[in-house]
Amino acid sequence: MPAITLPDGSQRSFDAPVTGTTVAASIGPGLAKAALAMKLDGRLVDLSTEIAEDARVVFVTRRDEDALELIRHDTAHVLAEAVQELFPGTQVTIGPSIENGFYYDFARNEPFTTADFTAIEAKMREIVARGAPFVRSVRDRNDAIAFFEAKGEGYKAELVRDLGEDQTITFYSQGDWIDLCRGPHMRSTGDVGTAFKLMKVAGAYWRGDHRNAMLQRIYGTAWRDQKELDAYLKMLEEAEKRDHRRIGREMGLFHLQEEAPGSVFWHPKGWKIYRTAEAYMRRRLEAGGYEEVKTPQLVDRALWEASGHWEKYRENMFQAMVAEEDKTLALKPMNCPCHVLIFRQGLRSYRELPLRMAEFGACHRYEPSGALHGIMRVRAFTQDDAHIFCTEAQIADETVRFVELLSSVYRDFGFESFRVKFSDRPEKRAGSDETWDRAEGALKEACAIAGVEYELNPGEGAFYGPKLEFVLRDAIGRDWQCGTLQVDFVLPERLDAEYVGEDGARHRPVMLHRAILGSFERFLGILIEQYAGRFPLWLAPVQVAVVTIVSDADDYAHEVSAALKAAGLTVVTDTANSKINAKIREHSVQHVPVIAVVGRKEAETRTVALRRLGVEAQETLSLDEAVARIAAEATPPDMTNEFA
RNA sequence: GCCGGAUUAGCACAGUGGUAGUGCAGCGGUUUUGUAAACCGAAGGUCGCGGGUUCAAAUCCUGCAUCCGGCACCA
């Protein structure tokens, strides 16, 4: 008979199989009231689950993080019931819990709008107030299908049909409403509480396949209590203020417009940040043993046919016809084929490997209109691209070197941590299975040596090889691939790259495609959100604002600005006819990291009063000292030792 | 690309069939000011673009474009 081990190590024995509810009650009335579900040998299950064997049991209460998933999943059910009560004829499909909330996909001819939310939320609260218990039941497969078909729930019937023969088909009811569901659930809809909110409606393809019907997805957020919900909503509000599109406009960094969808118009300040980042990367690459090249934008179709892009990637390529010459050129979507062409000039020796060829390569890709997003996903962008031509034996070493360089670069830009995904062979691919086996094996081995921990991303590799993706997160919580490392045995073959080995024979090099920032556009977008526009001094587009208090100080202010500029700093001089308060505010709003205030006093004593962004305190220094100090602080992180 | 929403002055927004408005910014003037918004004034619009309905359209219908949120896509 079951002996139940509790988290504190104590054991309780029962004469017969018991439910979690009974066990909780045997421990105490407080727990009986608080327990929402339990973890049975580590698996989250209903409280009503019968325990027949010895087991470890951990009760989940509202105080546990685990409760969030239960609450979110249950709220999705409550949403579905509410929608079906309010909008008869709507079919239900699936409704999982997700990060920060849940969604439910419905099939209905008329669109839902956010205007419906008030009524739906009110109905949801009503259902929660009813507190109907969640009751689990098991059904026979054919019964379940017949049940859903009779109700006109075709999607649910399809879900049941696709369940494996060996799977138990479980239903959960809440009052009169019943749904196919794996569970687990809490005790009743009353456990959902009131800390939820519907957030948005969106289209979503049935089973995530664009060939299927489009359903209507309602997203919501749900938390353990109102305080958590409020904090989450507040966080979203704050995140909105960091949005790179908003900051880009407010700080005058760049703009986008209809005439060039998906292409960035960089303004002077934005371009300054770009150039600072580019100069930094150029130094890092040079120090890392890379050689920089520049290759053409417009390249003949013949090259893309040879590389495989024409077959696998044409729909994403911009083509340019030349009528007179009867030729088709295409704007390069990637730099790799051009780099192979440079590699192929002359006979290469094994002594040149690994050969690291870098380019700030401007690429054009026709991205689907719905994919465009600010400067994070564009049609014209510049990669900090490089291709490493090496031997198979050098892959591991080069991967380790690359990961070290990437980590160091990310750290310098303020990213202490990042996620790594390993994407293996996609369906649409070039190269034999044996080639892929070797490429994936080599990359995995290199990861092990470099100590890179990754999550598997099956089927998401490039058509020519597996890849590592280095992922950064934006302010709103969206993930973006920035860095990448891709192993490629295919392209050197297709474009016939070779080198002369130690043995005097010709060999095929391996190509590693790699980028650290990914594209300047995307990376700078993330950087803007990371710093919310308040860049560290070395990256700030305007580093110092010299502002006057009275016009008598104008001459001296120009002198101060000249001294700062001579030290390599980017400076604005504000001698406008407005009050010091207004000037401080204006430059603070523009996130200028240092404001140098000069009035009569400073002009007379040849000093400046420095005020740091967001700090009220000021510090008065002699002009020389102020210039030296700010210049030192503005030194890029990779150059600090030279001046130490 | 798909579903839904949006598009009015440089920016943020109001305006549901009858003379296009507010705030901020910009411009002109007054004020010479000590650390996050001084005061006054005059300007500023093809209401995204095209077609339609109507005596009359920012407003209703329709096509297109772009943007926003998801989905799909992201070599």
Side-chain angles (χ1 to χ4, degrees):
Chain A
M1 288 297 105
I4 289 166
T5 310
L6 298 166
D8 63 1
S10 67
Q11 280 203 345
R12 275 164 192 264
S13 296
F14 293 86
D15 302 337
V18 284
T19 64
T21 314
T22 310
V23 178
S26 80
I27 295 169
L31 185 63
K33 208 174 150 196
L36 301 172
M38 62 180 165
K39 277 192 156 173
L40 189 60
D41 289 329
R43 200 164 46 90
L44 198 59
V45 297
D46 296 338
L47 208 55
S48 59
T49 305
E50 203 173 68
I51 311 168
E53 316 262 313
D54 291 359
R56 286 175 296 110
V57 168
V58 181
F59 289 100
V60 176
T61 72
R62 224 172 172 78
R63 293 159 76 162
D64 300 308
E65 283 281 322
D66 287 321
L68 280 170
E69 196 178 324
L70 292 163
I71 290 168
R72 287 167 184 164
H73 182 197
D74 288 11
T75 314
H77 275 240
V78 171
L79 167 64
E81 181 181 357
V83 165
Q84 288 203 311
E85 269 191 49
L86 290 170
F87 306 95
T90 303
Q91 288 188 60
V92 287
T93 67
I94 57 159
S97 73
I98 52 172
E99 193 173 4
N100 299 323
F102 60 91
Y103 67 77
Y104 208 109
D105 285 348
F106 299 99
R108 176 178 179 242
N109 290 334
E110 297 73 41
F112 289 112
T113 72
T114 47
D116 298 321
F117 283 3
T118 317
I120 299 173
E121 281 180 358
K123 181 59 79 178
M124 288 171 73
R125 288 181 206 292
E126 198 183 308
I127 293 165
V128 170
R130 279 183 221 151
F134 286 107
V135 180
R136 182 176 183 271
S137 58
V138 176
R139 287 209 189 196
D140 170 79
R141 181 188 193 81
N142 291 330
D143 279 359
I145 294 170
F147 172 77
F148 281 125
E149 283 186 341
K151 284 216 305 177
E153 297 278 6
Y155 291 97
K156 283 288 183 190
E158 189 180 326
L159 286 175
V160 177
R161 267 196 207 95
D162 289 355
L163 284 175
E165 291 290 342
D166 53 335
Q167 277 186 298
T168 313
I169 294 165
T170 57
F171 278 62
Y172 279 82
S173 67
Q174 53 200 66
D176 298 333
W177 195 79
I178 186 159
D179 194 9
L180 174 76
C181 184
R182 194 186 305 125
H185 281 283
M186 298 186 289
R187 297 164 303 189
S188 79
T189 57
D191 286 334
V192 162
T194 55
F196 62 82
K197 184 174 162 48
L198 299 182
M199 302 297 282
K200 50 197 175 193
V201 280
Y205 297 107
W206 166 237
R207 301 196 139 176
D209 188 328
H210 69 276
R211 289 166 300 195
N212 290 341
M214 182 149 278
L215 307 171
Q216 294 186 64
R217 177 170 298 179
I218 296 180
Y219 282 96
T221 187
W223 300 85
R224 293 177 291 184
D225 55 42
Q226 190 65 32
K227 217 171 115 190
E228 275 189 351
L229 173 63
D230 290 343
Y232 175 68
L233 297 176
K234 181 82 187 156
M235 189 277 288
L236 286 183
E237 226 174 88
E238 291 303 312
E240 214 174 293
K241 292 183 194 160
R242 306 171 81 99
D243 190 310
H244 76 283
R245 292 164 297 191
R246 176 178 175 147
I247 291 176
R249 192 187 327 106
E250 289 170 350
M251 289 179 69
L253 303 179
F254 58 82
H255 88 272
L256 296 139
Q257 70 178 60
E258 227 178 291
E259 285 73 8
S263 296
V264 185
F265 290 79
W266 287 103
H267 296 200
K269 282 169 68 180
W271 191 240
K272 182 75 200 327
I273 302 171
Y274 185 113
R275 284 186 299 139
T276 304
E278 187 186 55
Y280 165 86
M281 282 312 298
R282 187 167 272 132
R283 291 193 302 271
R284 296 302 312 260
L285 289 172
E286 206 157 305
Y290 289 80
E291 292 180 297
E292 188 176 330
V293 298
K294 194 76 181 173
T295 62
Q297 296 292 303
L298 276 170
V299 182
D300 196 288
R301 162 179 176 166
L303 179 66
W304 305 116
E305 279 172 348
S307 70
H309 287 84
W310 198 257
E311 187 197 344
K312 302 273 198 273
Y313 202 65
R314 186 176 11 166
E315 60 203 31
N316 290 293
M317 288 166 65
F318 286 100
Q319 293 178 38
M321 309 304 181
V322 185
E324 270 116 80
E325 293 190 19
D326 192 26
K327 267 187 171 185
T328 304
L329 301 176
L331 281 169
K332 66 174 171 186
M334 299 177 207
N335 308 298
C336 26
C338 290
H339 288 188
V340 176
L341 296 190
I342 293 184
F343 183 85
R344 279 196 353 187
Q345 289 292 307
L347 211 50
R348 297 289 178 176
S349 154
Y350 72 94
R351 295 172 196 274
E352 294 178 73
L353 308 186
L355 190 154
R356 308 185 190 92
M357 194 184 293
E359 175 173 5
F360 296 123
C363 295
H364 289 80
R365 299 180 186 176
Y366 183 77
E367 301 285 357
S369 56
L372 301 179
H373 178 87
I375 65 172
M376 306 267 217
R377 182 90 181 262
V378 286
R379 289 180 175 154
F381 54 93
T382 302
Q383 299 177 313
D384 63 321
D385 201 7
H387 294 92
I388 302 172
F389 296 87
C390 63
T391 66
E392 219 170 314
Q394 290 168 331
I395 294 176
D397 260 7
E398 287 302 309
T399 300
V400 174
R401 272 178 75 113
F402 173 70
V403 171
E404 276 170 8
L405 179 60
L406 175 137
S407 310
S408 158
V409 168
Y410 279 16
R411 224 174 300 123
D412 281 352
F413 280 112
F415 298 101
E416 293 299 332
S417 67
F418 48 86
R419 288 166 45 216
V420 184
K421 292 186 191 170
F422 186 107
S423 300
D424 60 15
R425 66 192 76 186
E427 259 178 55
K428 209 171 152 187
R429 62 177 183 260
S432 66
D433 285 352
E434 295 73 49
T435 305
W436 275 88
D437 288 342
R438 270 161 57 217
E440 286 170 4
L443 192 55
K444 275 184 188 156
E445 193 199 320
C447 283
I449 296 168
V452 173
E453 284 179 34
Y454 55 79
E455 32 188 303
L456 208 57
N457 202 17
E460 298 293 325
F463 75 76
Y464 47 70
K467 62 178 184 177
L468 291 179
E469 298 174 27
F470 298 85
V471 176
L472 294 175
R473 188 164 273 209
D474 72 13
I476 320 166
R478 285 186 274 220
D479 285 335
W480 296 94
Q481 181 201 309
C482 290
T484 184
L485 174 73
Q486 308 172 3
V487 179
D488 182 3
F489 289 95
V490 173
L491 210 56
E493 181 78 39
R494 296 193 70 131
L495 295 180
D496 197 28
E498 52 184 26
Y499 65 92
V500 178
E502 213 172 343
D503 56 2
R506 300 199 175 200
H507 299 273
R508 202 60 86 193
V510 178
M511 259 175 104
L512 303 180
H513 305 240
R514 43 106 297 163
I516 295 175
L517 309 184
S519 88
F520 280 91
E521 287 76 4
R522 175 174 294 180
F523 192 81
L524 292 181
I526 293 195
L527 202 62
I528 289 167
E529 302 199 350
Q530 151 96 346
Y531 288 119
R534 290 185 278 274
F535 292 100
L537 201 53
W538 74 282
L539 281 167
V542 174
Q543 294 168 309
V544 189
V546 178
V547 306
T548 53
I549 296 172
V550 291
S551 49
D552 286 352
D554 286 2
D555 288 345
Y556 179 61
H558 289 298
E559 203 184 315
V560 171
S561 294
L564 290 164
K565 283 178 192 164
L569 294 157
T570 309
V571 183
V572 293
T573 315
D574 186 353
T575 56
N577 175 18
S578 56
K579 291 200 167 186
I580 185 64
N581 288 297
K583 291 186 186 182
I584 295 288
R585 180 183 150 78
E586 191 183 325
H587 298 290
S588 299
V589 164
Q590 286 295 309
H591 308 312
V592 178
V594 181
I595 300 178
V597 179
V598 296
R600 267 196 202 97
K601 212 160 59 187
E602 288 77 13
E604 278 162 18
T605 56
R606 300 192 60 76
T607 56
V608 292
L610 298 184
R611 180 194 162 116
R612 307 293 170 142
L613 178 59
V615 178
E616 277 182 46
Q618 51 173 327
E619 184 182 20
T620 302
L621 298 174
S622 74
L623 177 55
D624 291 347
E625 199 181 336
V627 171
R629 194 182 292 187
I630 299 169
E633 281 177 39
T635 306
D638 63 312
M639 294 173 76
T640 46
N641 290 335
E642 292 180 37
F643 293 91

